[in-house]
Amino acid sequence: MPRASGPLAEALARRTVLLDGGLSNQLAAQGCDLSGGLWTGRVLAERPDQVEAAHTAYARAGAEVLITASYQIGPGHPRAADLLHRSVALAARAAEAADHEVWVAASVGPYGAVLADGSEYRGRYGLSVRELAAFHRPRVEALLAAGPDVLALETVPDPDEAQALLTVLGETDAPAWLSYTVAEGRTRSGAPLAEAFALAAAYPQVIAVGVNCCDPVEVLPALEAAAATTRTPLLAYPNDGSVWEAATATWRTPGTRPGWPTAAWRRTGARLIGGCCRIGPDRIAALAAGAR
């Protein structure tokens, strides 16, 4: 079956669409080396077959959207354009081989992801909105040239970076979703969620807003804040509740696993639901089974 032929926004108007899970954990499970600053980008550069295999694993689990391995590829990389194009092509190949319709979402990670020091979980890099827009613009242009179905403006830690990404998006006619990473009821930089989600209202290209790479317990309050400020479909793809320790490049796992009240998320308006770091194909398959 070819990859999804209709716009993702049209599907969201009718039903919930299932996202994939964490790319890094699936690549690690496949035996890939993710050490170094490029993280999944290292595998994209060195073992593209493994990236395609990871996408395929999620498609077989029932994922209807595959997020590309472009999260940490910054414009300063000497092969940036080639790798960004490759990331979309690999996801598209996996989508085309699936037995159901699958969309490809091109990941546009935050500036902090390229720094590889955990600062995407802090934000406030000391750069202006204009400087952040200048950083993101060539990445967005290269990804769009590869023909994804949607841009995933994801793991955004603060409204300044969201505004920069939206400014670049506004120069195109591409559809995109905007997803913040949050903690304690605010963005990671400490900004109010209502302020953060309200930014998207001025950009008709935004087809969904929500949260990702956060503790599942943070999801429902964040979705409620988003629902109060926008009529746009919502999205949620949290991690397993673990905390990233940048100094040791390891995850600190919670003593208990938080629940995933996906029915409550849907009632609040979530139409894109999946997982982020440390959520694998088994959890996506369970979500797919529950949606049937």
Side-chain angles (χ1 to χ4, degrees):
M1 177 178 289
R3 58 192 269 200
S5 57
L8 179 56
E10 293 181 3
L12 297 181
R14 302 190 308 271
R15 62 182 179 88
T16 300
V17 174
L18 186 61
L19 295 166
D20 60 7
L23 185 59
S24 59
N25 48 271
Q26 180 58 23
L27 290 172
Q30 293 170 194
C32 299
D33 185 355
L34 278 71
S35 62
L38 279 180
W39 199 36
T40 57
R42 174 176 181 173
V43 187
L44 177 65
E46 299 176 357
R47 294 294 308 276
D49 60 312
Q50 290 295 315
V51 173
E52 184 175 350
H55 289 316
T56 297
Y58 281 115
R60 287 175 176 167
E64 299 172 272
V65 180
L66 301 176
I67 302 175
T68 65
S70 48
Y71 180 80
Q72 282 188 293
I73 304 298
H77 190 284
R79 296 176 55 202
D82 173 61
L83 291 176
L84 293 171
H85 281 240
R86 176 184 290 181
S87 73
V88 175
L90 293 171
R93 280 217 298 261
E96 288 161 0
D99 63 0
H100 57 281
E101 287 194 320
V102 178
W103 289 269
V104 172
S107 173
V108 184
Y111 177 80
V114 176
L115 301 180
D117 63 357
S119 59
E120 68 261 49
Y121 299 114
R122 300 188 300 271
R124 304 300 184 191
Y125 317 112
L127 300 178
S128 67
V129 170
R130 178 175 292 185
E131 289 170 324
L132 287 168
F135 168 81
H136 285 296
R137 187 170 288 108
R139 306 171 74 206
V140 169
E141 291 173 349
L143 287 167
L144 289 179
D149 297 298
V150 63
L151 294 174
L153 312 180
E154 59 176 355
T155 327
V156 180
D158 66 64
D160 283 351
E161 185 155 28
Q163 184 60 69
L165 286 161
L166 291 168
T167 297
V168 175
L169 180 68
E171 299 165 1
T172 78
D173 58 0
W177 75 63
L178 174 64
S179 184
Y180 289 95
T181 180
V182 300
E184 300 180 354
R186 302 173 79 86
T187 71
R188 293 282 186 158
S189 66
L193 291 180
E195 168 193 329
F197 289 123
L199 292 176
Y203 297 88
Q205 301 97 319
V206 177
I207 65 169
V209 298
V211 294
N212 78 290
C213 210
C214 62
D215 192 311
V217 302
E218 299 280 353
V219 171
L220 187 57
L223 292 181
E224 291 172 342
T229 61
T230 179
R231 295 183 179 178
T232 305
L234 307 182
L235 64 91
Y237 51 116
N239 56 39
D240 70 344
S242 298
V243 176
W244 177 248
E245 301 286 2
T248 58
T250 58
W251 287 96
R252 175 163 48 84
T253 305
T256 58
R257 301 283 182 175
W260 279 47
T262 54
W265 300 351
R266 290 189 179 97
R267 286 195 297 271
T268 309
R271 292 296 176 266
L272 278 167
I273 295 178
C276 201
C277 300
R278 299 170 66 84
I279 301 300
D282 55 343
R283 178 65 69 90
I284 300 306
L287 289 175
R292 293 190 187 108

PDB file of all heavy atoms in Angstrom, residues 53-89:
ATOM      1  N   ALA A  53      14.738  -0.035   9.347  1.00  0.00           N
ATOM      2  CA  ALA A  53      14.220  -1.184  10.088  1.00  0.00           C
ATOM      3  C   ALA A  53      13.436  -0.742  11.317  1.00  0.00           C
ATOM      4  O   ALA A  53      12.403  -1.336  11.663  1.00  0.00           O
ATOM      5  CB  ALA A  53      15.373  -2.108  10.489  1.00  0.00           C
ATOM      6  N   ALA A  54      13.921   0.295  11.998  1.00  0.00           N
ATOM      7  CA  ALA A  54      13.197   0.808  13.168  1.00  0.00           C
ATOM      8  C   ALA A  54      11.845   1.383  12.758  1.00  0.00           C
ATOM      9  O   ALA A  54      10.822   1.135  13.419  1.00  0.00           O
ATOM     10  CB  ALA A  54      14.042   1.866  13.873  1.00  0.00           C
ATOM     11  N   HIS A  55      11.819   2.152  11.691  1.00  0.00           N
ATOM     12  CA  HIS A  55      10.543   2.677  11.192  1.00  0.00           C
ATOM     13  C   HIS A  55       9.596   1.525  10.841  1.00  0.00           C
ATOM     14  O   HIS A  55       8.389   1.573  11.152  1.00  0.00           O
ATOM     15  CB  HIS A  55      10.767   3.530   9.948  1.00  0.00           C
ATOM     16  CG  HIS A  55      11.426   4.846  10.198  1.00  0.00           C
ATOM     17  ND1 HIS A  55      11.073   5.679  11.231  1.00  0.00           N
ATOM     18  CD2 HIS A  55      12.417   5.506   9.515  1.00  0.00           C
ATOM     19  CE1 HIS A  55      11.809   6.782  11.193  1.00  0.00           C
ATOM     20  NE2 HIS A  55      12.631   6.692  10.163  1.00  0.00           N
ATOM     21  N   THR A  56      10.135   0.496  10.208  1.00  0.00           N
ATOM     22  CA  THR A  56       9.318  -0.648   9.814  1.00  0.00           C
ATOM     23  C   THR A  56       8.732  -1.347  11.025  1.00  0.00           C
ATOM     24  O   THR A  56       7.564  -1.777  11.015  1.00  0.00           O
ATOM     25  CB  THR A  56      10.158  -1.631   8.980  1.00  0.00           C
ATOM     26  OG1 THR A  56      10.582  -0.978   7.774  1.00  0.00           O
ATOM     27  CG2 THR A  56       9.363  -2.875   8.615  1.00  0.00           C
ATOM     28  N   ALA A  57       9.521  -1.453  12.098  1.00  0.00           N
ATOM     29  CA  ALA A  57       9.018  -2.085  13.320  1.00  0.00           C
ATOM     30  C   ALA A  57       7.807  -1.345  13.872  1.00  0.00           C
ATOM     31  O   ALA A  57       6.837  -1.962  14.335  1.00  0.00           O
ATOM     32  CB  ALA A  57      10.131  -2.144  14.363  1.00  0.00           C
ATOM     33  N   TYR A  58       7.848  -0.023  13.822  1.00  0.00           N
ATOM     34  CA  TYR A  58       6.713   0.754  14.316  1.00  0.00           C
ATOM     35  C   TYR A  58       5.512   0.655  13.375  1.00  0.00           C
ATOM     36  O   TYR A  58       4.362   0.577  13.828  1.00  0.00           O
ATOM     37  CB  TYR A  58       7.124   2.200  14.533  1.00  0.00           C
ATOM     38  CG  TYR A  58       7.892   2.387  15.814  1.00  0.00           C
ATOM     39  CD1 TYR A  58       9.217   2.792  15.815  1.00  0.00           C
ATOM     40  CD2 TYR A  58       7.278   2.133  17.044  1.00  0.00           C
ATOM     41  CE1 TYR A  58       9.921   2.950  17.007  1.00  0.00           C
ATOM     42  CE2 TYR A  58       7.971   2.283  18.228  1.00  0.00           C
ATOM     43  CZ  TYR A  58       9.293   2.688  18.203  1.00  0.00           C
ATOM     44  OH  TYR A  58       9.969   2.829  19.387  1.00  0.00           O
ATOM     45  N   ALA A  59       5.753   0.651  12.074  1.00  0.00           N
ATOM     46  CA  ALA A  59       4.646   0.503  11.135  1.00  0.00           C
ATOM     47  C   ALA A  59       3.963  -0.847  11.326  1.00  0.00           C
ATOM     48  O   ALA A  59       2.735  -0.943  11.316  1.00  0.00           O
ATOM     49  CB  ALA A  59       5.145   0.663   9.703  1.00  0.00           C
ATOM     50  N   ARG A  60       4.759  -1.887  11.540  1.00  0.00           N
ATOM     51  CA  ARG A  60       4.173  -3.214  11.771  1.00  0.00           C
ATOM     52  C   ARG A  60       3.403  -3.265  13.079  1.00  0.00           C
ATOM     53  O   ARG A  60       2.456  -4.052  13.217  1.00  0.00           O
ATOM     54  CB  ARG A  60       5.285  -4.261  11.770  1.00  0.00           C
ATOM     55  CG  ARG A  60       5.856  -4.537  10.377  1.00  0.00           C
ATOM     56  CD  ARG A  60       7.025  -5.483  10.424  1.00  0.00           C
ATOM     57  NE  ARG A  60       7.492  -5.796   9.074  1.00  0.00           N
ATOM     58  CZ  ARG A  60       8.652  -6.393   8.798  1.00  0.00           C
ATOM     59  NH1 ARG A  60       9.472  -6.737   9.800  1.00  0.00           N
ATOM     60  NH2 ARG A  60       9.003  -6.646   7.557  1.00  0.00           N
ATOM     61  N   ALA A  61       3.798  -2.428  14.043  1.00  0.00           N
ATOM     62  CA  ALA A  61       3.082  -2.371  15.317  1.00  0.00           C
ATOM     63  C   ALA A  61       1.762  -1.619  15.200  1.00  0.00           C
ATOM     64  O   ALA A  61       0.949  -1.653  16.129  1.00  0.00           O
ATOM     65  CB  ALA A  61       3.958  -1.701  16.374  1.00  0.00           C
ATOM     66  N   GLY A  62       1.553  -0.947  14.079  1.00  0.00           N
ATOM     67  CA  GLY A  62       0.305  -0.231  13.856  1.00  0.00           C
ATOM     68  C   GLY A  62       0.429   1.274  13.770  1.00  0.00           C
ATOM     69  O   GLY A  62      -0.580   1.959  13.592  1.00  0.00           O
ATOM     70  N   ALA A  63       1.639   1.820  13.898  1.00  0.00           N
ATOM     71  CA  ALA A  63       1.813   3.276  13.812  1.00  0.00           C
ATOM     72  C   ALA A  63       1.357   3.783  12.449  1.00  0.00           C
ATOM     73  O   ALA A  63       1.650   3.181  11.415  1.00  0.00           O
ATOM     74  CB  ALA A  63       3.263   3.651  14.059  1.00  0.00           C
ATOM     75  N   GLU A  64       0.674   4.912  12.478  1.00  0.00           N
ATOM     76  CA  GLU A  64       0.198   5.537  11.246  1.00  0.00           C
ATOM     77  C   GLU A  64       1.003   6.778  10.883  1.00  0.00           C
ATOM     78  O   GLU A  64       0.782   7.364   9.814  1.00  0.00           O
ATOM     79  CB  GLU A  64      -1.269   5.913  11.400  1.00  0.00           C
ATOM     80  CG  GLU A  64      -2.181   4.727  11.662  1.00  0.00           C
ATOM     81  CD  GLU A  64      -3.586   5.184  11.989  1.00  0.00           C
ATOM     82  OE1 GLU A  64      -3.870   5.428  13.185  1.00  0.00           O
ATOM     83  OE2 GLU A  64      -4.407   5.311  11.049  1.00  0.00           O
ATOM     84  N   VAL A  65       1.904   7.198  11.758  1.00  0.00           N
ATOM     85  CA  VAL A  65       2.805   8.314  11.486  1.00  0.00           C
ATOM     86  C   VAL A  65       4.203   7.892  11.926  1.00  0.00           C
ATOM     87  O   VAL A  65       4.391   7.449  13.061  1.00  0.00           O
ATOM     88  CB  VAL A  65       2.390   9.600  12.241  1.00  0.00           C
ATOM     89  CG1 VAL A  65       3.371  10.734  11.907  1.00  0.00           C
ATOM     90  CG2 VAL A  65       0.976  10.006  11.889  1.00  0.00           C
ATOM     91  N   LEU A  66       5.173   8.039  11.036  1.00  0.00           N
ATOM     92  CA  LEU A  66       6.568   7.738  11.333  1.00  0.00           C
ATOM     93  C   LEU A  66       7.338   9.049  11.388  1.00  0.00           C
ATOM     94  O   LEU A  66       7.297   9.836  10.441  1.00  0.00           O
ATOM     95  CB  LEU A  66       7.169   6.825  10.259  1.00  0.00           C
ATOM     96  CG  LEU A  66       6.473   5.472  10.064  1.00  0.00           C
ATOM     97  CD1 LEU A  66       7.113   4.717   8.898  1.00  0.00           C
ATOM     98  CD2 LEU A  66       6.515   4.640  11.342  1.00  0.00           C
ATOM     99  N   ILE A  67       8.037   9.278  12.504  1.00  0.00           N
ATOM    100  CA  ILE A  67       8.794  10.510  12.697  1.00  0.00           C
ATOM    101  C   ILE A  67      10.246  10.263  12.323  1.00  0.00           C
ATOM    102  O   ILE A  67      10.868   9.304  12.786  1.00  0.00           O
ATOM    103  CB  ILE A  67       8.681  10.994  14.160  1.00  0.00           C
ATOM    104  CG1 ILE A  67       7.208  11.209  14.526  1.00  0.00           C
ATOM    105  CG2 ILE A  67       9.459  12.291  14.353  1.00  0.00           C
ATOM    106  CD1 ILE A  67       6.974  11.560  15.987  1.00  0.00           C
ATOM    107  N   THR A  68      10.803  11.119  11.491  1.00  0.00           N
ATOM    108  CA  THR A  68      12.125  10.893  10.910  1.00  0.00           C
ATOM    109  C   THR A  68      13.264  11.026  11.921  1.00  0.00           C
ATOM    110  O   THR A  68      13.102  11.583  13.006  1.00  0.00           O
ATOM    111  CB  THR A  68      12.378  11.881   9.757  1.00  0.00           C
ATOM    112  OG1 THR A  68      12.424  13.212  10.294  1.00  0.00           O
ATOM    113  CG2 THR A  68      11.296  11.797   8.696  1.00  0.00           C
ATOM    114  N   ALA A  69      14.429  10.556  11.520  1.00  0.00           N
ATOM    115  CA  ALA A  69      15.633  10.568  12.359  1.00  0.00           C
ATOM    116  C   ALA A  69      16.432  11.851  12.192  1.00  0.00           C
ATOM    117  O   ALA A  69      17.665  11.845  12.265  1.00  0.00           O
ATOM    118  CB  ALA A  69      16.517   9.364  12.019  1.00  0.00           C
ATOM    119  N   SER A  70      15.758  12.962  12.006  1.00  0.00           N
ATOM    120  CA  SER A  70      16.417  14.244  11.736  1.00  0.00           C
ATOM    121  C   SER A  70      16.525  15.143  12.960  1.00  0.00           C
ATOM    122  O   SER A  70      17.027  16.265  12.858  1.00  0.00           O
ATOM    123  CB  SER A  70      15.652  14.984  10.635  1.00  0.00           C
ATOM    124  OG  SER A  70      14.262  15.008  10.894  1.00  0.00           O
ATOM    125  N   TYR A  71      16.109  14.671  14.104  1.00  0.00           N
ATOM    126  CA  TYR A  71      15.971  15.477  15.323  1.00  0.00           C
ATOM    127  C   TYR A  71      17.231  16.256  15.672  1.00  0.00           C
ATOM    128  O   TYR A  71      17.176  17.427  16.039  1.00  0.00           O
ATOM    129  CB  TYR A  71      15.578  14.549  16.470  1.00  0.00           C
ATOM    130  CG  TYR A  71      15.396  15.192  17.820  1.00  0.00           C
ATOM    131  CD1 TYR A  71      14.225  15.864  18.141  1.00  0.00           C
ATOM    132  CD2 TYR A  71      16.383  15.089  18.804  1.00  0.00           C
ATOM    133  CE1 TYR A  71      14.037  16.425  19.392  1.00  0.00           C
ATOM    134  CE2 TYR A  71      16.200  15.651  20.055  1.00  0.00           C
ATOM    135  CZ  TYR A  71      15.032  16.314  20.348  1.00  0.00           C
ATOM    136  OH  TYR A  71      14.856  16.872  21.586  1.00  0.00           O
ATOM    137  N   GLN A  72      18.407  15.630  15.592  1.00  0.00           N
ATOM    138  CA  GLN A  72      19.644  16.280  16.032  1.00  0.00           C
ATOM    139  C   GLN A  72      20.560  16.707  14.886  1.00  0.00           C
ATOM    140  O   GLN A  72      21.716  17.049  15.130  1.00  0.00           O
ATOM    141  CB  GLN A  72      20.416  15.366  16.986  1.00  0.00           C
ATOM    142  CG  GLN A  72      19.807  15.375  18.391  1.00  0.00           C
ATOM    143  CD  GLN A  72      20.655  14.648  19.406  1.00  0.00           C
ATOM    144  OE1 GLN A  72      20.809  13.453  19.332  1.00  0.00           O
ATOM    145  NE2 GLN A  72      21.193  15.380  20.371  1.00  0.00           N
ATOM    146  N   ILE A  73      20.056  16.711  13.665  1.00  0.00           N
ATOM    147  CA  ILE A  73      20.884  17.137  12.529  1.00  0.00           C
ATOM    148  C   ILE A  73      20.758  18.644  12.368  1.00  0.00           C
ATOM    149  O   ILE A  73      19.721  19.153  11.943  1.00  0.00           O
ATOM    150  CB  ILE A  73      20.467  16.424  11.234  1.00  0.00           C
ATOM    151  CG1 ILE A  73      20.516  14.907  11.406  1.00  0.00           C
ATOM    152  CG2 ILE A  73      21.365  16.875  10.077  1.00  0.00           C
ATOM    153  CD1 ILE A  73      21.885  14.363  11.723  1.00  0.00           C
ATOM    154  N   GLY A  74      21.817  19.371  12.720  1.00  0.00           N
ATOM    155  CA  GLY A  74      21.811  20.825  12.626  1.00  0.00           C
ATOM    156  C   GLY A  74      22.420  21.316  11.337  1.00  0.00           C
ATOM    157  O   GLY A  74      23.122  20.571  10.632  1.00  0.00           O
ATOM    158  N   PRO A  75      22.201  22.582  10.988  1.00  0.00           N
ATOM    159  CA  PRO A  75      22.719  23.121   9.721  1.00  0.00           C
ATOM    160  C   PRO A  75      24.237  23.178   9.667  1.00  0.00           C
ATOM    161  O   PRO A  75      24.816  23.307   8.584  1.00  0.00           O
ATOM    162  CB  PRO A  75      22.099  24.521   9.659  1.00  0.00           C
ATOM    163  CG  PRO A  75      21.798  24.876  11.081  1.00  0.00           C
ATOM    164  CD  PRO A  75      21.433  23.589  11.748  1.00  0.00           C
ATOM    165  N   GLY A  76      24.905  23.073  10.806  1.00  0.00           N
ATOM    166  CA  GLY A  76      26.360  23.103  10.806  1.00  0.00           C
ATOM    167  C   GLY A  76      27.016  21.799  10.426  1.00  0.00           C
ATOM    168  O   GLY A  76      28.222  21.750  10.166  1.00  0.00           O
ATOM    169  N   HIS A  77      26.266  20.726  10.367  1.00  0.00           N
ATOM    170  CA  HIS A  77      26.840  19.438   9.980  1.00  0.00           C
ATOM    171  C   HIS A  77      27.231  19.476   8.507  1.00  0.00           C
ATOM    172  O   HIS A  77      26.467  19.959   7.662  1.00  0.00           O
ATOM    173  CB  HIS A  77      25.831  18.319  10.225  1.00  0.00           C
ATOM    174  CG  HIS A  77      26.406  16.938  10.096  1.00  0.00           C
ATOM    175  ND1 HIS A  77      26.689  16.359   8.891  1.00  0.00           N
ATOM    176  CD2 HIS A  77      26.761  16.038  11.041  1.00  0.00           C
ATOM    177  CE1 HIS A  77      27.183  15.150   9.083  1.00  0.00           C
ATOM    178  NE2 HIS A  77      27.237  14.923  10.389  1.00  0.00           N
ATOM    179  N   PRO A  78      28.425  18.971   8.140  1.00  0.00           N
ATOM    180  CA  PRO A  78      28.869  19.071   6.741  1.00  0.00           C
ATOM    181  C   PRO A  78      27.976  18.322   5.757  1.00  0.00           C
ATOM    182  O   PRO A  78      27.990  18.626   4.562  1.00  0.00           O
ATOM    183  CB  PRO A  78      30.283  18.467   6.785  1.00  0.00           C
ATOM    184  CG  PRO A  78      30.341  17.664   8.041  1.00  0.00           C
ATOM    185  CD  PRO A  78      29.446  18.368   9.006  1.00  0.00           C
ATOM    186  N   ARG A  79      27.217  17.349   6.238  1.00  0.00           N
ATOM    187  CA  ARG A  79      26.323  16.587   5.350  1.00  0.00           C
ATOM    188  C   ARG A  79      24.863  16.828   5.724  1.00  0.00           C
ATOM    189  O   ARG A  79      24.012  15.980   5.479  1.00  0.00           O
ATOM    190  CB  ARG A  79      26.644  15.093   5.449  1.00  0.00           C
ATOM    191  CG  ARG A  79      28.030  14.707   4.957  1.00  0.00           C
ATOM    192  CD  ARG A  79      28.269  13.218   5.200  1.00  0.00           C
ATOM    193  NE  ARG A  79      27.231  12.395   4.611  1.00  0.00           N
ATOM    194  CZ  ARG A  79      26.964  11.150   5.013  1.00  0.00           C
ATOM    195  NH1 ARG A  79      27.621  10.615   6.021  1.00  0.00           N
ATOM    196  NH2 ARG A  79      26.013  10.444   4.412  1.00  0.00           N
ATOM    197  N   ALA A  80      24.573  17.973   6.291  1.00  0.00           N
ATOM    198  CA  ALA A  80      23.240  18.214   6.837  1.00  0.00           C
ATOM    199  C   ALA A  80      22.141  17.981   5.806  1.00  0.00           C
ATOM    200  O   ALA A  80      21.188  17.236   6.057  1.00  0.00           O
ATOM    201  CB  ALA A  80      23.150  19.629   7.408  1.00  0.00           C
ATOM    202  N   ALA A  81      22.232  18.619   4.647  1.00  0.00           N
ATOM    203  CA  ALA A  81      21.154  18.508   3.668  1.00  0.00           C
ATOM    204  C   ALA A  81      20.962  17.067   3.219  1.00  0.00           C
ATOM    205  O   ALA A  81      19.836  16.570   3.120  1.00  0.00           O
ATOM    206  CB  ALA A  81      21.453  19.407   2.464  1.00  0.00           C
ATOM    207  N   ASP A  82      22.069  16.365   2.982  1.00  0.00           N
ATOM    208  CA  ASP A  82      21.988  14.969   2.553  1.00  0.00           C
ATOM    209  C   ASP A  82      21.325  14.108   3.621  1.00  0.00           C
ATOM    210  O   ASP A  82      20.452  13.281   3.320  1.00  0.00           O
ATOM    211  CB  ASP A  82      23.388  14.444   2.248  1.00  0.00           C
ATOM    212  CG  ASP A  82      23.403  12.945   1.969  1.00  0.00           C
ATOM    213  OD1 ASP A  82      22.748  12.519   1.002  1.00  0.00           O
ATOM    214  OD2 ASP A  82      24.049  12.195   2.736  1.00  0.00           O
ATOM    215  N   LEU A  83      21.722  14.296   4.871  1.00  0.00           N
ATOM    216  CA  LEU A  83      21.159  13.475   5.945  1.00  0.00           C
ATOM    217  C   LEU A  83      19.693  13.801   6.199  1.00  0.00           C
ATOM    218  O   LEU A  83      18.886  12.904   6.480  1.00  0.00           O
ATOM    219  CB  LEU A  83      21.973  13.655   7.224  1.00  0.00           C
ATOM    220  CG  LEU A  83      23.388  13.079   7.192  1.00  0.00           C
ATOM    221  CD1 LEU A  83      24.125  13.400   8.491  1.00  0.00           C
ATOM    222  CD2 LEU A  83      23.362  11.569   6.954  1.00  0.00           C
ATOM    223  N   LEU A  84      19.326  15.064   6.106  1.00  0.00           N
ATOM    224  CA  LEU A  84      17.925  15.435   6.284  1.00  0.00           C
ATOM    225  C   LEU A  84      17.059  14.818   5.186  1.00  0.00           C
ATOM    226  O   LEU A  84      15.976  14.286   5.462  1.00  0.00           O
ATOM    227  CB  LEU A  84      17.786  16.951   6.311  1.00  0.00           C
ATOM    228  CG  LEU A  84      18.427  17.638   7.529  1.00  0.00           C
ATOM    229  CD1 LEU A  84      18.435  19.150   7.347  1.00  0.00           C
ATOM    230  CD2 LEU A  84      17.705  17.268   8.821  1.00  0.00           C
ATOM    231  N   HIS A  85      17.534  14.868   3.956  1.00  0.00           N
ATOM    232  CA  HIS A  85      16.812  14.226   2.860  1.00  0.00           C
ATOM    233  C   HIS A  85      16.716  12.726   3.089  1.00  0.00           C
ATOM    234  O   HIS A  85      15.660  12.111   2.880  1.00  0.00           O
ATOM    235  CB  HIS A  85      17.519  14.504   1.530  1.00  0.00           C
ATOM    236  CG  HIS A  85      17.255  15.858   0.964  1.00  0.00           C
ATOM    237  ND1 HIS A  85      16.674  16.059  -0.269  1.00  0.00           N
ATOM    238  CD2 HIS A  85      17.487  17.097   1.470  1.00  0.00           C
ATOM    239  CE1 HIS A  85      16.570  17.361  -0.507  1.00  0.00           C
ATOM    240  NE2 HIS A  85      17.061  18.002   0.535  1.00  0.00           N
ATOM    241  N   ARG A  86      17.820  12.120   3.510  1.00  0.00           N
ATOM    242  CA  ARG A  86      17.843  10.680   3.752  1.00  0.00           C
ATOM    243  C   ARG A  86      16.838  10.288   4.826  1.00  0.00           C
ATOM    244  O   ARG A  86      16.166   9.264   4.713  1.00  0.00           O
ATOM    245  CB  ARG A  86      19.249  10.232   4.169  1.00  0.00           C
ATOM    246  CG  ARG A  86      19.349   8.764   4.542  1.00  0.00           C
ATOM    247  CD  ARG A  86      20.734   8.406   5.037  1.00  0.00           C
ATOM    248  NE  ARG A  86      21.707   8.436   3.953  1.00  0.00           N
ATOM    249  CZ  ARG A  86      22.996   8.136   4.127  1.00  0.00           C
ATOM    250  NH1 ARG A  86      23.464   7.830   5.324  1.00  0.00           N
ATOM    251  NH2 ARG A  86      23.818   8.167   3.100  1.00  0.00           N
ATOM    252  N   SER A  87      16.727  11.109   5.871  1.00  0.00           N
ATOM    253  CA  SER A  87      15.814  10.763   6.961  1.00  0.00           C
ATOM    254  C   SER A  87      14.381  10.646   6.468  1.00  0.00           C
ATOM    255  O   SER A  87      13.635   9.750   6.886  1.00  0.00           O
ATOM    256  CB  SER A  87      15.926  11.803   8.086  1.00  0.00           C
ATOM    257  OG  SER A  87      15.329  13.036   7.722  1.00  0.00           O
ATOM    258  N   VAL A  88      13.981  11.534   5.587  1.00  0.00           N
ATOM    259  CA  VAL A  88      12.622  11.485   5.040  1.00  0.00           C
ATOM    260  C   VAL A  88      12.460  10.287   4.107  1.00  0.00           C
ATOM    261  O   VAL A  88      11.450   9.571   4.154  1.00  0.00           O
ATOM    262  CB  VAL A  88      12.285  12.797   4.310  1.00  0.00           C
ATOM    263  CG1 VAL A  88      10.916  12.703   3.628  1.00  0.00           C
ATOM    264  CG2 VAL A  88      12.305  13.969   5.282  1.00  0.00           C
ATOM    265  N   ALA A  89      13.466  10.027   3.278  1.00  0.00           N
ATOM    266  CA  ALA A  89      13.384   8.928   2.326  1.00  0.00           C
ATOM    267  C   ALA A  89      13.265   7.581   3.032  1.00  0.00           C
ATOM    268  O   ALA A  89      12.503   6.700   2.591  1.00  0.00           O
ATOM    269  CB  ALA A  89      14.611   8.936   1.414  1.00  0.00           C
TER     270      ALA A  89
END
